[in-house]
Amino acid sequence: MATSDPVYLRVVEDIRRQITDGTLPPGAPIPSRAQLTRKYQVGETAARHALRVLASEGLIIGRVGSGHYVRERPDLSPLHRWRFLDHPAPFAADLQSQGRRVTWDWHSEPAEAGPDIARRLRLDESTTLTRTHYVFRGDGRPLQLATSYEPLEFAAHTEEERRSLVARVYAHGIKITEIVESVHTRVPRPAESDALDLPAGIHVLHVERTHWAGDRPVETSDIVIPGDRFRIMYSMPV
Amino acid sequence: MATSDPVYLRVVEDIRRQITDGTLPPGAPIPSRAQLTRKYQVGETAARHALRVLASEGLIIGRVGSGHYVRERPDLSPLHRWRFLDHPAPFAADLQSQGRRVTWDWHSEPAEAGPDIARRLRLDESTTLTRTHYVFRGDGRPLQLATSYEPLEFAAHTEEERRSLVARVYAHGIKITEIVESVHTRVPRPAESDALDLPAGIHVLHVERTHWAGDRPVETSDIVIPGDRFRIMYSMPV
DNA sequence: CGAGGTCACTTGGAGCCCCAACTTTGCAGC
DNA sequence: GCTGCAAAGTTGGGGCTCCAAGTGACCTCG
């Protein structure tokens, strides 16, 4: 039954097994196209296709001129929601608690809401609000992107204000009562692959977070996280 | 600068644009390999590669003997956590509330914990527990997989008991106090692609859910959801 | 000993071809 | 009008080849 399977799958499965069972440790070189054709008695097309499939699964990474190598797959670091709710940098406090030196760049600009954000903040599409882009880095390497949208009146003006959205909004007599996050996964957009330094085939977790004051949305943000490096932990008291 | 870009990218970008801006609506046929080579003046390899990339992004789907078509991408259905916490079938109640006729198959069997589950339930690796596999279907189509692990003493024996883990555990004088879920994304395993009827390139959301009674884990399960069809909503009171 | 250059090897893009298995369409015959 | 079949078109697996750009090892020369 398995004899009529495509031949490239034989190669994929053999190498995948060697990677998962540790025969090929992270960083180990994968045989080159030429070596695979000889070793598995397959054509170049099959060898090439096998490498592409393994790369798209995130198991190996190809370096032009050098070869394919088993990808370093750090254990999925947990990002704990619920512990660090009121933080301008979602998950950043969590990364810090993992002993990484977390830095971040941000820049704000006025922007039109647009259909998507308008719906999420229950505003008119043409409303102008403050959009802030964040890039978070751990020990220099990019870890996470976030884009936050706030109505102008809540926007932070000082570094101090930026630290707590809750306090900032409370200054207007509005109390945040709920945070809603929606998680899904998707292919990174080109700009995101670039900013996060993602190899092909790695998906991202996209978290849409909205701060609510009663039934009024107060802030919303899009958080983009490499899907293969992190797990998001939600803890819910019963 | 963009003139030296690979030619297959020109094709990918042009078709992607047509799909996202609606020129090619869901279900619309994509030009065949032969047509693409003529239309974009590229070789077969480039046309083929472009189609493969678009398919791996989940934008199109190939049907052998027929052609490639723009994939139907139903809006990401929300699965609300927090609302239906004590349910044997995670998210199933939620699917039902979306007007789908949800059915599910399950079967239980005794199984050894193994390293992973042993760690999650803080048991010995060789402990025997009840493993239950669920397949959830909405209007006949598979929507979600779940595998639940319960120590033998908490396992359900009647259909009635199956309805509430909280009640089942409470019968032993143990009160569930917390549910922890960890979300990440990964490539579906072959069995999962099969069971969920997933085309190549679609990732899954993997939710590890653990019910805790104080500092004692009481049940844990793995929930696997097509990443492109669902979003998981977490709602956290501040 | 160190610097620089050459050369072999590797990836990734691209082209062309063959074939099996499957779908669609259109036509011929009942 | 309907059935059944053949032909044409399509995907996906596989093979072969050429080439540009990058890497790494080694060797030669100052």
Side-chain angles (χ1 to χ4, degrees), chain B residues 99-126:
Chain B
R100 308 194 204 203
R101 210 185 47 252
V102 175
T103 57
W104 62 87
D105 299 335
W106 56 271
H107 80 272
S108 288
E109 65 202 2
E112 256 197 15
D116 199 47
I117 301 302
R119 187 179 39 72
R120 277 155 64 178
L121 286 181
R122 295 200 185 156
L123 296 172
D124 200 76
E125 286 195 24
S126 57

mmCIF file of all heavy atoms in Angstrom, chain B residues 99-126:
data_model
loop_
_atom_site.group_PDB
_atom_site.id
_atom_site.type_symbol
_atom_site.label_atom_id
_atom_site.label_comp_id
_atom_site.label_asym_id
_atom_site.label_seq_id
_atom_site.Cartn_x
_atom_site.Cartn_y
_atom_site.Cartn_z
ATOM 1 N N GLY B 99 -25.702 28.166 14.827
ATOM 2 C CA GLY B 99 -26.714 27.632 13.931
ATOM 3 C C GLY B 99 -26.262 26.412 13.165
ATOM 4 O O GLY B 99 -26.916 25.992 12.218
ATOM 5 N N ARG B 100 -25.141 25.820 13.561
ATOM 6 C CA ARG B 100 -24.719 24.604 12.872
ATOM 7 C C ARG B 100 -25.250 23.390 13.630
ATOM 8 O O ARG B 100 -25.316 23.395 14.855
ATOM 9 C CB ARG B 100 -23.196 24.499 12.826
ATOM 10 C CG ARG B 100 -22.560 25.736 12.274
ATOM 11 C CD ARG B 100 -21.129 25.458 11.938
ATOM 12 N NE ARG B 100 -20.376 26.715 11.948
ATOM 13 C CZ ARG B 100 -19.251 26.900 11.298
ATOM 14 N NH1 ARG B 100 -18.743 25.942 10.583
ATOM 15 N NH2 ARG B 100 -18.629 28.052 11.355
ATOM 16 N N ARG B 101 -25.603 22.394 12.887
ATOM 17 C CA ARG B 101 -26.024 21.163 13.538
ATOM 18 C C ARG B 101 -24.766 20.376 13.882
ATOM 19 O O ARG B 101 -24.129 19.769 13.028
ATOM 20 C CB ARG B 101 -26.941 20.345 12.628
ATOM 21 C CG ARG B 101 -27.937 19.512 13.416
ATOM 22 C CD ARG B 101 -28.783 18.607 12.563
ATOM 23 N NE ARG B 101 -27.997 17.870 11.588
ATOM 24 C CZ ARG B 101 -28.004 18.120 10.292
ATOM 25 N NH1 ARG B 101 -28.742 19.098 9.807
ATOM 26 N NH2 ARG B 101 -27.275 17.395 9.460
ATOM 27 N N VAL B 102 -24.383 20.470 15.140
ATOM 28 C CA VAL B 102 -23.125 19.855 15.555
ATOM 29 C C VAL B 102 -23.362 18.434 16.039
ATOM 30 O O VAL B 102 -24.224 18.184 16.870
ATOM 31 C CB VAL B 102 -22.450 20.685 16.669
ATOM 32 C CG1 VAL B 102 -21.211 19.972 17.171
ATOM 33 C CG2 VAL B 102 -22.105 22.067 16.143
ATOM 34 N N THR B 103 -22.582 17.523 15.495
ATOM 35 C CA THR B 103 -22.631 16.138 15.970
ATOM 36 C C THR B 103 -21.220 15.750 16.377
ATOM 37 O O THR B 103 -20.250 16.380 15.947
ATOM 38 C CB THR B 103 -23.081 15.183 14.850
ATOM 39 O OG1 THR B 103 -22.186 15.329 13.742
ATOM 40 C CG2 THR B 103 -24.491 15.496 14.382
ATOM 41 N N TRP B 104 -21.104 14.780 17.223
ATOM 42 C CA TRP B 104 -19.748 14.310 17.497
ATOM 43 C C TRP B 104 -19.698 12.827 17.794
ATOM 44 O O TRP B 104 -20.607 12.234 18.317
ATOM 45 C CB TRP B 104 -19.059 15.113 18.590
ATOM 46 C CG TRP B 104 -19.681 15.073 19.946
ATOM 47 C CD1 TRP B 104 -19.463 14.152 20.923
ATOM 48 C CD2 TRP B 104 -20.573 16.040 20.516
ATOM 49 N NE1 TRP B 104 -20.164 14.477 22.047
ATOM 50 C CE2 TRP B 104 -20.845 15.626 21.838
ATOM 51 C CE3 TRP B 104 -21.148 17.219 20.029
ATOM 52 C CZ2 TRP B 104 -21.705 16.353 22.664
ATOM 53 C CZ3 TRP B 104 -21.993 17.918 20.871
ATOM 54 C CH2 TRP B 104 -22.259 17.482 22.158
ATOM 55 N N ASP B 105 -18.605 12.262 17.334
ATOM 56 C CA ASP B 105 -18.273 10.872 17.648
ATOM 57 C C ASP B 105 -17.195 10.902 18.713
ATOM 58 O O ASP B 105 -16.377 11.812 18.740
ATOM 59 C CB ASP B 105 -17.668 10.166 16.422
ATOM 60 C CG ASP B 105 -18.632 10.144 15.259
ATOM 61 O OD1 ASP B 105 -19.844 10.226 15.519
ATOM 62 O OD2 ASP B 105 -18.164 10.064 14.106
ATOM 63 N N TRP B 106 -17.212 9.900 19.545
ATOM 64 C CA TRP B 106 -16.096 9.788 20.475
ATOM 65 C C TRP B 106 -15.878 8.320 20.766
ATOM 66 O O TRP B 106 -16.763 7.493 20.579
ATOM 67 C CB TRP B 106 -16.398 10.543 21.778
ATOM 68 C CG TRP B 106 -17.662 10.094 22.451
ATOM 69 C CD1 TRP B 106 -18.919 10.577 22.243
ATOM 70 C CD2 TRP B 106 -17.799 9.049 23.414
ATOM 71 N NE1 TRP B 106 -19.831 9.912 23.003
ATOM 72 C CE2 TRP B 106 -19.164 8.968 23.757
ATOM 73 C CE3 TRP B 106 -16.887 8.186 24.029
ATOM 74 C CZ2 TRP B 106 -19.665 8.057 24.668
ATOM 75 C CZ3 TRP B 106 -17.391 7.282 24.956
ATOM 76 C CH2 TRP B 106 -18.765 7.222 25.271
ATOM 77 N N HIS B 107 -14.699 8.001 21.179
ATOM 78 C CA HIS B 107 -14.468 6.689 21.766
ATOM 79 C C HIS B 107 -13.375 6.757 22.809
ATOM 80 O O HIS B 107 -12.393 7.494 22.645
ATOM 81 C CB HIS B 107 -14.213 5.620 20.701
ATOM 82 C CG HIS B 107 -12.826 5.605 20.169
ATOM 83 N ND1 HIS B 107 -12.441 6.387 19.106
ATOM 84 C CD2 HIS B 107 -11.744 4.896 20.547
ATOM 85 C CE1 HIS B 107 -11.169 6.162 18.856
ATOM 86 N NE2 HIS B 107 -10.714 5.262 19.715
ATOM 87 N N SER B 108 -13.596 6.020 23.872
ATOM 88 C CA SER B 108 -12.659 6.023 24.998
ATOM 89 C C SER B 108 -11.850 4.737 24.998
ATOM 90 O O SER B 108 -12.303 3.720 24.506
ATOM 91 C CB SER B 108 -13.424 6.121 26.317
ATOM 92 O OG SER B 108 -13.940 7.409 26.471
ATOM 93 N N GLU B 109 -10.658 4.845 25.565
ATOM 94 C CA GLU B 109 -9.833 3.645 25.712
ATOM 95 C C GLU B 109 -8.851 3.918 26.843
ATOM 96 O O GLU B 109 -8.522 5.076 27.119
ATOM 97 C CB GLU B 109 -9.084 3.369 24.404
ATOM 98 C CG GLU B 109 -8.083 4.457 24.084
ATOM 99 C CD GLU B 109 -7.694 4.541 22.606
ATOM 100 O OE1 GLU B 109 -8.232 3.771 21.814
ATOM 101 O OE2 GLU B 109 -6.861 5.399 22.290
ATOM 102 N N PRO B 110 -8.407 2.872 27.504
ATOM 103 C CA PRO B 110 -7.366 3.076 28.504
ATOM 104 C C PRO B 110 -6.035 3.299 27.784
ATOM 105 O O PRO B 110 -5.815 2.740 26.705
ATOM 106 C CB PRO B 110 -7.366 1.758 29.289
ATOM 107 C CG PRO B 110 -8.044 0.765 28.429
ATOM 108 C CD PRO B 110 -8.844 1.482 27.386
ATOM 109 N N ALA B 111 -5.187 4.153 28.350
ATOM 110 C CA ALA B 111 -3.902 4.435 27.706
ATOM 111 C C ALA B 111 -2.873 4.809 28.755
ATOM 112 O O ALA B 111 -3.221 5.335 29.819
ATOM 113 C CB ALA B 111 -4.048 5.559 26.689
ATOM 114 N N GLU B 112 -1.629 4.555 28.450
ATOM 115 C CA GLU B 112 -0.545 5.002 29.317
ATOM 116 C C GLU B 112 -0.359 6.496 29.148
ATOM 117 O O GLU B 112 -0.529 7.025 28.057
ATOM 118 C CB GLU B 112 0.764 4.295 28.940
ATOM 119 C CG GLU B 112 1.142 3.193 29.897
ATOM 120 C CD GLU B 112 2.605 2.797 29.744
ATOM 121 O OE1 GLU B 112 3.369 3.549 29.115
ATOM 122 O OE2 GLU B 112 2.956 1.719 30.263
ATOM 123 N N ALA B 113 0.008 7.164 30.240
ATOM 124 C CA ALA B 113 0.115 8.619 30.185
ATOM 125 C C ALA B 113 1.189 9.065 29.186
ATOM 126 O O ALA B 113 0.938 9.906 28.334
ATOM 127 C CB ALA B 113 0.415 9.178 31.566
ATOM 128 N N GLY B 114 2.364 8.495 29.258
ATOM 129 C CA GLY B 114 3.455 8.957 28.391
ATOM 130 C C GLY B 114 4.050 10.239 28.952
ATOM 131 O O GLY B 114 3.446 10.881 29.822
ATOM 132 N N PRO B 115 5.233 10.636 28.486
ATOM 133 C CA PRO B 115 5.958 11.755 29.092
ATOM 134 C C PRO B 115 5.179 13.071 29.080
ATOM 135 O O PRO B 115 5.141 13.791 30.089
ATOM 136 C CB PRO B 115 7.231 11.861 28.241
ATOM 137 C CG PRO B 115 6.943 11.074 26.994
ATOM 138 C CD PRO B 115 5.933 10.044 27.353
ATOM 139 N N ASP B 116 4.547 13.368 27.961
ATOM 140 C CA ASP B 116 3.902 14.666 27.804
ATOM 141 C C ASP B 116 2.700 14.827 28.737
ATOM 142 O O ASP B 116 2.612 15.790 29.514
ATOM 143 C CB ASP B 116 3.467 14.827 26.340
ATOM 144 C CG ASP B 116 3.220 16.265 25.977
ATOM 145 O OD1 ASP B 116 4.077 17.098 26.328
ATOM 146 O OD2 ASP B 116 2.180 16.552 25.369
ATOM 147 N N ILE B 117 1.796 13.873 28.658
ATOM 148 C CA ILE B 117 0.591 13.938 29.481
ATOM 149 C C ILE B 117 0.940 13.762 30.956
ATOM 150 O O ILE B 117 0.345 14.406 31.831
ATOM 151 C CB ILE B 117 -0.414 12.856 29.016
ATOM 152 C CG1 ILE B 117 -0.780 13.066 27.546
ATOM 153 C CG2 ILE B 117 -1.663 12.861 29.886
ATOM 154 C CD1 ILE B 117 -1.388 14.414 27.238
ATOM 155 N N ALA B 118 1.933 12.936 31.241
ATOM 156 C CA ALA B 118 2.374 12.739 32.626
ATOM 157 C C ALA B 118 2.811 14.072 33.239
ATOM 158 O O ALA B 118 2.446 14.409 34.365
ATOM 159 C CB ALA B 118 3.523 11.743 32.666
ATOM 160 N N ARG B 119 3.531 14.848 32.457
ATOM 161 C CA ARG B 119 3.988 16.155 32.938
ATOM 162 C C ARG B 119 2.800 17.077 33.176
ATOM 163 O O ARG B 119 2.709 17.761 34.190
ATOM 164 C CB ARG B 119 4.944 16.755 31.893
ATOM 165 C CG ARG B 119 5.630 18.037 32.309
ATOM 166 C CD ARG B 119 6.582 18.544 31.221
ATOM 167 N NE ARG B 119 6.080 18.377 29.864
ATOM 168 C CZ ARG B 119 5.090 19.098 29.329
ATOM 169 N NH1 ARG B 119 4.495 20.041 30.030
ATOM 170 N NH2 ARG B 119 4.704 18.867 28.083
ATOM 171 N N ARG B 120 1.851 17.030 32.225
ATOM 172 C CA ARG B 120 0.723 17.954 32.348
ATOM 173 C C ARG B 120 -0.192 17.587 33.503
ATOM 174 O O ARG B 120 -0.809 18.449 34.119
ATOM 175 C CB ARG B 120 -0.068 17.978 31.029
ATOM 176 C CG ARG B 120 0.575 18.914 30.019
ATOM 177 C CD ARG B 120 0.256 18.560 28.593
ATOM 178 N NE ARG B 120 -1.171 18.687 28.289
ATOM 179 C CZ ARG B 120 -1.694 18.459 27.076
ATOM 180 N NH1 ARG B 120 -0.898 18.090 26.082
ATOM 181 N NH2 ARG B 120 -2.979 18.588 26.879
ATOM 182 N N LEU B 121 -0.318 16.302 33.769
ATOM 183 C CA LEU B 121 -1.218 15.877 34.857
ATOM 184 C C LEU B 121 -0.439 15.560 36.134
ATOM 185 O O LEU B 121 -1.019 15.121 37.130
ATOM 186 C CB LEU B 121 -2.040 14.655 34.424
ATOM 187 C CG LEU B 121 -3.168 14.929 33.430
ATOM 188 C CD1 LEU B 121 -3.914 13.650 33.094
ATOM 189 C CD2 LEU B 121 -4.155 15.951 34.003
ATOM 190 N N ARG B 122 0.871 15.772 36.107
ATOM 191 C CA ARG B 122 1.736 15.503 37.259
ATOM 192 C C ARG B 122 1.559 14.081 37.766
ATOM 193 O O ARG B 122 1.361 13.828 38.959
ATOM 194 C CB ARG B 122 1.451 16.492 38.396
ATOM 195 C CG ARG B 122 1.799 17.911 37.999
ATOM 196 C CD ARG B 122 1.985 18.790 39.197
ATOM 197 N NE ARG B 122 2.207 20.168 38.806
ATOM 198 C CZ ARG B 122 1.951 21.207 39.582
ATOM 199 N NH1 ARG B 122 1.476 21.003 40.798
ATOM 200 N NH2 ARG B 122 2.184 22.420 39.169
ATOM 201 N N LEU B 123 1.607 13.173 36.808
ATOM 202 C CA LEU B 123 1.479 11.751 37.144
ATOM 203 C C LEU B 123 2.745 11.040 36.706
ATOM 204 O O LEU B 123 3.621 11.623 36.066
ATOM 205 C CB LEU B 123 0.289 11.140 36.400
ATOM 206 C CG LEU B 123 -1.097 11.663 36.728
ATOM 207 C CD1 LEU B 123 -2.109 11.088 35.759
ATOM 208 C CD2 LEU B 123 -1.451 11.305 38.167
ATOM 209 N N ASP B 124 2.800 9.770 37.018
ATOM 210 C CA ASP B 124 3.896 8.949 36.557
ATOM 211 C C ASP B 124 3.636 8.567 35.096
ATOM 212 O O ASP B 124 2.483 8.394 34.690
ATOM 213 C CB ASP B 124 3.989 7.683 37.429
ATOM 214 C CG ASP B 124 5.361 7.064 37.316
ATOM 215 O OD1 ASP B 124 6.289 7.621 37.939
ATOM 216 O OD2 ASP B 124 5.493 6.060 36.585
ATOM 217 N N GLU B 125 4.695 8.444 34.321
ATOM 218 C CA GLU B 125 4.554 8.140 32.892
ATOM 219 C C GLU B 125 3.787 6.853 32.624
ATOM 220 O O GLU B 125 3.151 6.698 31.598
ATOM 221 C CB GLU B 125 5.931 8.021 32.227
ATOM 222 C CG GLU B 125 6.617 9.352 32.033
ATOM 223 C CD GLU B 125 7.793 9.229 31.063
ATOM 224 O OE1 GLU B 125 7.787 8.303 30.241
ATOM 225 O OE2 GLU B 125 8.706 10.062 31.152
ATOM 226 N N SER B 126 3.894 5.914 33.565
ATOM 227 C CA SER B 126 3.297 4.600 33.310
ATOM 228 C C SER B 126 1.870 4.500 33.840
ATOM 229 O O SER B 126 1.226 3.455 33.715
ATOM 230 C CB SER B 126 4.165 3.514 33.942
ATOM 231 O OG SER B 126 4.290 3.782 35.330
#
